[in-house]
């Protein structure tokens, strides 16, 4: 009998301490700023080798994301909750690509833990714990079903890896490295996001 009570107690304690979507959102929204490097691999069915891109990013809570591509060419994007802009060397210019805006807005939500907008377009499956979690998004809206089969996100205190599996068989994988939390932003990042 004592063994049954002990086993039941272990089961109930593991259920009550399960890592939930709310826990993940809270964890991802804690840092005021996140910055670091990224490596992006784009796997296209038509190519034998992936296309590799590298750069830096800065994410500022409630403000937006600065995505600075450095290799194979330079490009800077600023993603805010209501628009996407590209740096032309002297000023920010609005992006006119609506499809790209939708995907980049989705990307901003994934990185910042703002999943409310995603819930209307994806079903969520979360596993793991606060130190090592994985979230799989499966599209449930017609628009997202035409683009993605799944989106896989994993991390710990922040997002560390993001994989976008597309309907036609292509795949984009982004890894975030040398992540710094709540550290001063570069002058360019500050001017872009503050």
């Amino acid at each position: 009998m004592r063994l049954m009570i002990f086993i039941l107690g272990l089961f109930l304690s593991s259920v009550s301490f399960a890592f939930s979507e709310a826990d993940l959102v809270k964890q991802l929204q804690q840092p005021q700023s996140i910055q670091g490097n990224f490596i992006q691999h784009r796997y296209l069915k038509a190519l034998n080798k992936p296309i590799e891109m590298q750069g830096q990013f800065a994410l500022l809570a409630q403000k937006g994301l600065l995505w600075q591509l450095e290799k194979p060419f330079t490009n800077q994007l600023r993603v805010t909750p209501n628009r996407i802009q590209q740096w032309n060397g002297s000023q920010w210019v609005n992006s006119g690509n609506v499809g790209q805006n939708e995907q980049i807005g989705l990307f901003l939500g994934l990185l910042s833990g703002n999943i409310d907008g995603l819930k209307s377009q994806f079903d969520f499956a979360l596993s793991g714990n606060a130190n090592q979690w994985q979230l799989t998004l499966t599209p449930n809206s017609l628009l997202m079903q035409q683009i993605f089969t799944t989106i896989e996100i994993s991390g710990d205190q922040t997002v560390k890896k993001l994989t976008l599996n597309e309907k036609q068989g292509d795949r984009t994988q982004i890894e975030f490295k040398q992540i710094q939390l709540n550290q001063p932003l570069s002058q360019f990042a500050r001017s872009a996001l503050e």
Side-chain angles (χ1 to χ4, degrees):
M1 184 67 171
R2 286 184 185 175
L3 181 60
M4 274 299 250
I5 292 172
F6 176 73
I7 291 171
L8 183 60
L10 282 177
F11 174 75
L12 290 176
S13 66
S14 68
V15 168
S16 63
F17 293 113
F19 189 62
S20 69
E21 287 175 23
D23 295 331
L24 176 60
V25 168
K26 184 177 178 184
Q27 182 168 305
L28 292 177
Q29 290 180 346
Q30 277 184 340
Q32 290 302 302
S33 70
I34 304 170
Q35 56 190 321
N37 299 329
F38 69 86
I39 297 175
Q40 177 176 321
H41 290 99
R42 179 90 169 118
Y43 298 87
L44 301 174
K45 287 190 326 183
L47 299 177
N48 292 333
K49 289 177 151 182
I51 300 168
E52 182 177 300
M53 298 179 218
Q54 297 180 26
Q56 298 179 7
F57 74 96
L59 179 66
L60 190 58
Q62 307 299 319
K63 299 288 184 177
L65 170 70
L66 177 63
W67 194 254
Q68 297 178 275
L69 184 62
E70 296 170 345
K71 293 179 184 177
F73 54 87
T74 60
N75 188 20
Q76 292 87 19
L77 285 178
R78 173 171 68 178
V79 183
T80 61
N82 50 4
R83 68 178 159 212
I84 297 167
Q85 297 178 307
Q86 185 171 349
W87 181 251
N88 70 4
S90 60
Q91 65 182 1
W92 292 102
V93 179
N94 288 332
S95 170
N97 187 334
V98 176
Q100 181 187 30
N101 289 357
E102 180 84 21
Q103 288 188 15
I104 293 177
L106 166 73
F107 183 62
L108 179 60
L110 294 173
L111 288 179
S112 63
N114 182 7
I115 64 170
D116 290 338
L118 302 175
K119 285 203 164 244
S120 65
Q121 301 182 57
F122 294 92
D123 293 326
F124 287 47
L126 177 64
S127 61
N129 58 48
N131 297 321
Q132 187 176 4
W133 52 266
Q134 176 154 351
L135 179 64
T136 301
L137 306 180
T138 305
N140 61 23
S141 74
L142 187 57
L143 174 64
M144 290 300 154
Q145 286 173 350
Q146 292 173 359
I147 302 170
F148 301 110
T149 55
T150 59
I151 297 175
E152 299 166 7
I153 311 151
S154 60
D156 48 27
Q157 193 175 7
T158 64
V159 172
K160 293 292 172 83
K161 186 175 178 182
L162 176 66
T163 304
L164 306 167
N165 299 300
E166 297 177 28
K167 188 79 172 182
Q168 77 277 12
D170 297 339
R171 176 170 51 103
T172 302
Q173 182 175 307
I174 306 169
E175 293 182 61
F176 301 95
K177 301 183 178 284
Q178 299 172 325
I179 295 174
Q180 300 175 30
L181 302 178
N182 301 321
Q183 295 299 310
L185 300 176
S186 70
Q187 183 177 348
F188 182 72
R190 273 198 321 273
S191 67
L193 297 174
E194 292 182 339

